[in-house]
């Protein structure tokens, strides 16, 4: 029966997608991270990639940004095949992509102001007065104009991430990639970030890709969700559709239950036999 | 037996692979140096942290090495009534050998380890990766200025080491042991050859600066991005730099002073 079904790549060729990933395969050593995966990210929308830790969500962002080469498949960003671009054009493309790293990745040897000014100073020849106005505007947008003279190590985790967000939008990109933006945030910072991602996306006309396993926050702002596990897409749709999914796996993931298709116990040999073995003292 | 052979093979392959990565890294760095020239500010900052901050350790070590040389030299030379040559002996040892070698070892310990730790931590905290995503090449922006700074700072520090050492030798020689001050300087002036001694010493220190900075930057760039990985890389920087400096010193000495 499978024979008559059209392949993924033929029927989901969405005209409006800014990023399209086709038949992507990627392995790290013997571990298969992606196995023939195809995804589309629509312009102007917030698309989320969800899945448990270790499913290669961050790897996907690195593949989209051209930091890793895929084993197979193509990734097209705004009409350009990322992995066939010469280095110079790849860098030109990256100027139009902002990325928010999980750690923030602020440069620790300069203060907040200089961090946000960094991409402007590297890529433009704007006079310092204009850079100052731009930096203050970006910091104002994330609500942190007041910390412009702080060093990164004086910021809380949530503030560092917001500063990194200000830096990511410094060059007015067309798209922002968020790597686990909500992990390890207190409820207030989390709320602030959820609000910021949503409002920046609509105010600046961005396209956002969020990689996350924070189910509630992500599904509150995403327009479309892909759920990845074991190198495959196991579910996709609007947040509502994902919540209504009949798949037991997705239900377990969305509700965070301890046992289900993903077992509580990591595979091990028989418990009783294991207990009878004599231990080894180091 | 087979297992040990496999292990040996793996290690050999690993070190060749690393040598290859290191060479590619060096070539990328060298081609990135051009981008530092229009931005002298980046270089100046690095010259400060690599050079100026090594000033104290180089000065103090130079002083003591010179003083000890003078002391030991005096005991040997005075047996032959040749203590007037003390200045020459101290200056030759310092300018030809101890200046470049000891200051390179100190440089690797002081500045090289700091470079490795800094770059390794930048890698571990995704700063290098973040730069790449901002379309800024970390080799050009971070590595190249540091490399150039090491290359410039090393001969200057070696020169400083030798100069302070000679002063320290004079301090002990004529101040403490009663060697004639005039003889100390005159013998040095007469016998130290610019080409043979000073230029060769400078060539040595430039070579050592090149190698230690390269090792330090590469170890940081190639470090496993964890706390343990960075600590291992820092250790490797100091150990490998010391071996390379001492080995190269032997080769360079054989080449430079072989025929006279």
């Amino acid at each position: 029966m499978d024979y008559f079904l059209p392949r993924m790549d033929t029927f989901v060729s969405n005209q409006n997608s800014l990023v399209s990933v086709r038949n992507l395969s990627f392995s790290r050593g013997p571990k298969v991270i992606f196995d023939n995966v195809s995804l589309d990210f629509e312009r102007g929308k917030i698309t989320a990639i969800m899945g448990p830790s270790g499913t290669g969500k961050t790897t996907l962002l690195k593949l989209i940004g051209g930091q890793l080469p895929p084993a197979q498949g193509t990734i097209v960003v705004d009409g350009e095949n990322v992995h066939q671009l010469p280095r110079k054009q790849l860098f030109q493309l990256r100027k139009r992509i902002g990325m928010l790293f999980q750690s923030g990745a602020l440069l620790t040897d300069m203060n907040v102001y200089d961090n946000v000014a960094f991409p402007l100073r590297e890529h433009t020849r704007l006079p310092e007065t204009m850079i100052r106005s731009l930096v203050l505007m970006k910091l104002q947008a994330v609500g942190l104009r007041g910390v412009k003279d702080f060093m990164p190590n004086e910021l809380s985790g949530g503030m560092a991430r917001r500063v990194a967000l200000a830096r990511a939008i410094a060059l007015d990109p067309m798209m922002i990639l968020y790597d686990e933006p909500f992990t390890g945030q207190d409820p207030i910072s989390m709320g602030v970030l959820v609000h910021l991602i949503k409002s920046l996306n609509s105010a600046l006309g961005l396209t956002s890709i969020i990689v996350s396993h924070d189910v509630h926050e992500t599904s509150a702002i995403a327009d479309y969700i892909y759920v990845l596990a074991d190198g495959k897409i196991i579910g996709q749709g609007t947040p509502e559709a994902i919540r209504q999914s009949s798949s037991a796996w997705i239900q377990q993931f969305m509700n965070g239950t301890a046992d289900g298709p993903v077992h509580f116990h990591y595979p091990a040999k028989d418990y009783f036999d294991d207990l009878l073995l004599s231990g080894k003292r180091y | 037996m087979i297992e040990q052979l496999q292990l040996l093979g793996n290690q050999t392959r690993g070190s060749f692979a690393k040598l290859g990565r290191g060479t590619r890294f060096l070539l990328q760095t060298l081609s990135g140096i051009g981008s530092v020239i229009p931005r002298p500010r980046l270089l100046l900052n690095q010259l400060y942290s690599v050079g100026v901050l090594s000033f104290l350790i180089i000065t103090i070590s130079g002083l003591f090495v010179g003083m000890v040389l003078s002391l030991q030299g005096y005991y040997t030379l005075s047996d032959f009534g040749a203590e007037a040559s003390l200045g020459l002996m101290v200056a030759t040892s310092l300018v030809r050998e101890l200046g470049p070698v000891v200051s390179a070892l100190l440089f690797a310990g002081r500045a090289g380890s700091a470079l490795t730790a800094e770059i390794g931590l930048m890698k571990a905290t995704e700063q290098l990766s973040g730069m790449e995503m901002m379309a800024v090449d970390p080799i050009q922006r971070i590595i190249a200025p540091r490399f150039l700074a090491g290359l410039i700072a090393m001969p200057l520090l070696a020169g400083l080491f030798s100069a302070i050492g000679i002063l320290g030798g004079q301090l002990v020689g004529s101040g403490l042991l009663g060697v004639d001050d005039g003889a100390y300087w005159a013998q040095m002036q007469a016998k130290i050859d610019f080409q043979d001694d000073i230029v060769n010493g400078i060539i040595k220190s430039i070579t050592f600066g090149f190698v230690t900075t390269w090792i330090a930057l590469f170890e940081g760039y190639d470090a496993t991005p964890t706390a343990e990985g960075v600590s291992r890389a820092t250790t490797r920087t100091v150990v490998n730099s010391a071996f390379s400096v001492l080995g190269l010193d032997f080769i360079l000495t054989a080449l430079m002073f072989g025929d006279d």
Side-chain angles (χ1 to χ4, degrees):
Chain A
M1 279 309 285
D2 267 308
Y3 188 72
F4 296 101
L5 283 172
R7 296 224 345 241
M8 260 309 253
D9 55 334
T10 50
F11 79 82
V12 198
S13 57
N14 197 325
Q15 290 302 309
N16 195 30
S17 62
L18 181 64
V19 179
S20 51
V21 177
R22 285 289 165 274
N23 308 96
L24 174 73
S25 295
F26 183 83
S27 313
R28 198 160 259 168
K31 190 170 188 278
V32 178
I33 310 268
F34 296 114
D35 181 14
N36 202 16
V37 169
S38 296
L39 307 144
D40 274 282
F41 301 93
E42 256 186 82
R43 271 174 215 277
K45 294 282 167 64
I46 300 177
T47 308
I49 316 275
M50 299 212 276
S53 312
T55 40
K57 302 191 298 295
T58 304
T59 308
L60 182 65
L61 293 187
K62 290 199 164 173
L63 285 160
I64 293 174
Q67 288 191 303
L68 288 173
Q72 255 172 28
T74 55
I75 295 172
V76 176
V77 178
D78 199 25
E80 300 189 87
N81 186 339
V82 175
H83 299 281
Q84 280 172 0
L85 286 177
R87 194 175 165 76
K88 222 174 171 168
Q89 266 124 297
L90 176 64
F91 272 47
Q92 287 300 325
L93 178 67
R94 281 185 188 163
K95 286 184 199 170
R96 298 191 285 142
I97 303 175
M99 175 148 176
L100 187 71
F101 283 84
Q102 193 173 349
S103 61
L106 293 175
L107 302 171
T108 41
D109 58 341
M110 36 177 103
N111 67 16
V112 165
Y113 178 92
D114 289 327
N115 260 291
V116 180
F118 182 81
L120 294 165
R121 286 180 180 148
E122 290 289 326
H123 295 307
T124 68
R125 296 194 178 279
L126 294 174
E128 206 49 42
T129 48
M130 191 172 282
I131 286 184
R132 187 183 143 83
S133 314
L134 281 170
V135 169
L136 294 184
M137 280 159 65
K138 305 296 174 188
L139 282 173
Q140 177 77 11
V142 298
L144 290 179
R145 193 164 44 84
V147 302
K148 68 178 163 55
D149 297 322
F150 284 35
M151 292 304 281
N153 60 10
E154 297 171 291
L155 301 174
S156 71
M159 277 152 78
R161 232 167 269 188
R162 280 152 72 190
V163 171
L165 185 54
R167 185 178 68 175
I169 57 172
L171 289 172
D172 293 321
M174 59 176 179
M175 166 166 86
I176 301 193
L177 313 175
Y178 297 92
D179 185 7
E180 300 283 5
F182 310 119
T183 307
Q185 299 294 319
D186 63 75
I188 299 177
S189 311
M190 191 112 92
V192 169
L193 279 165
V194 169
H195 167 76
L196 265 177
I197 293 173
K198 181 81 183 164
S199 58
L200 282 177
N201 198 71
S202 51
L204 303 178
L206 296 166
T207 302
S208 302
I209 301 179
I210 304 178
V211 146
S212 178
H213 50 225
D214 290 285
V215 171
H216 299 290
E217 291 72 23
T218 311
S219 48
I221 53 172
D223 295 305
Y224 201 81
I225 295 177
Y226 288 98
V227 183
L228 288 180
D230 299 326
K232 301 243 183 230
I233 301 172
I234 58 160
Q236 55 176 302
T238 59
E240 196 47 40
I242 292 282
R243 259 193 294 268
Q244 307 293 327
S245 167
S246 58
S247 151
W249 198 102
I250 293 181
Q251 283 306 324
Q252 187 191 359
F253 182 73
M254 297 301 282
N255 299 319
T257 36
D259 214 341
V262 179
H263 295 297
F264 170 70
H265 288 290
Y266 193 82
K269 59 182 149 190
D270 187 75
Y271 186 40
F272 187 66
D273 288 350
D274 216 1
L275 284 176
L276 289 180
L277 288 173
S278 61
K280 198 180 351 173
R281 189 187 282 272
Y282 289 99
Chain B
M1 183 64 188
I2 293 288
E3 251 175 49
Q4 275 147 358
L5 277 178
Q6 273 177 340
L7 198 72
L8 186 72
N10 268 338
Q11 274 176 356
T12 316
R13 209 178 57 180
S15 30
F16 274 109
K18 187 162 181 178
L19 200 64
R21 288 201 303 277
T23 311
R24 203 175 65 177
F25 173 82
L26 179 65
L27 294 177
Q28 286 173 336
T29 307
L30 291 177
S31 67
I33 283 183
S35 64
V36 182
I37 293 154
R39 306 178 64 182
R41 184 99 223 150
L42 289 179
L43 179 62
L44 285 181
N45 285 341
Q46 292 313 315
L47 272 176
Y48 174 77
S49 67
V50 167
V52 177
L53 293 182
S54 309
F55 205 86
L56 193 66
I57 186 172
I58 293 284
T59 315
I60 293 176
S61 313
L63 185 71
F64 278 98
V65 167
M67 280 160 60
V68 168
L69 262 182
S70 184
L71 211 54
Q72 291 285 10
Y74 177 80
Y75 294 139
T76 313
L77 289 173
S78 61
D79 280 352
F80 307 99
E83 59 267 33
S85 296
L86 185 65
L88 176 63
M89 197 222 82
V90 169
T92 314
S93 331
L94 278 171
V95 173
R96 281 188 176 189
E97 293 293 340
L98 290 174
V101 172
V102 177
S103 57
L105 295 177
L106 293 171
F107 181 78
R110 167 65 186 74
S113 58
L115 284 176
T116 306
E118 187 189 15
I119 308 272
L121 279 175
M122 287 181 95
K123 186 180 180 187
T125 52
E126 295 182 310
Q127 292 183 48
L128 297 182
S129 200
M131 256 185 210
E132 273 183 23
M133 281 307 294
M134 286 187 280
V136 176
D137 186 351
I139 297 260
Q140 286 179 8
R141 180 66 173 65
I142 300 290
I143 305 291
R146 285 165 172 76
F147 184 75
L148 201 56
L151 213 55
I152 295 172
M154 187 63 240
L156 295 176
L157 290 172
L160 180 77
F161 186 94
S162 299
I164 299 277
I166 290 170
L167 282 180
Q170 192 254 358
L171 203 71
V172 169
S174 63
L176 216 63
L177 303 169
V179 175
D180 181 53
D181 216 11
Y184 187 89
W185 294 112
Q187 289 246 8
M188 200 188 300
Q189 206 175 3
K191 290 284 180 61
I192 294 283
D193 185 71
F194 181 72
Q195 176 65 38
D196 257 8
D197 299 314
I198 297 180
V199 171
N200 278 343
I202 293 174
I203 292 174
K204 275 187 179 179
S205 63
I206 292 177
T207 315
F208 299 158
F210 186 94
V211 172
T212 47
T213 319
W214 171 31
I215 290 176
L217 292 171
F218 174 66
E219 287 292 353
Y221 197 76
D222 201 51
T224 314
T226 59
E228 198 202 3
V230 175
S231 108
R232 277 167 185 247
T234 312
T235 310
R236 274 202 306 271
T237 291
V238 178
V239 173
N240 292 349
S241 298
F243 284 150
S244 317
V245 165
L246 296 171
L248 275 172
D249 182 52
F250 179 76
I251 295 171
L252 286 174
T253 304
L255 288 176
M256 286 167 173
F257 306 107
D259 52 2
D260 53 34

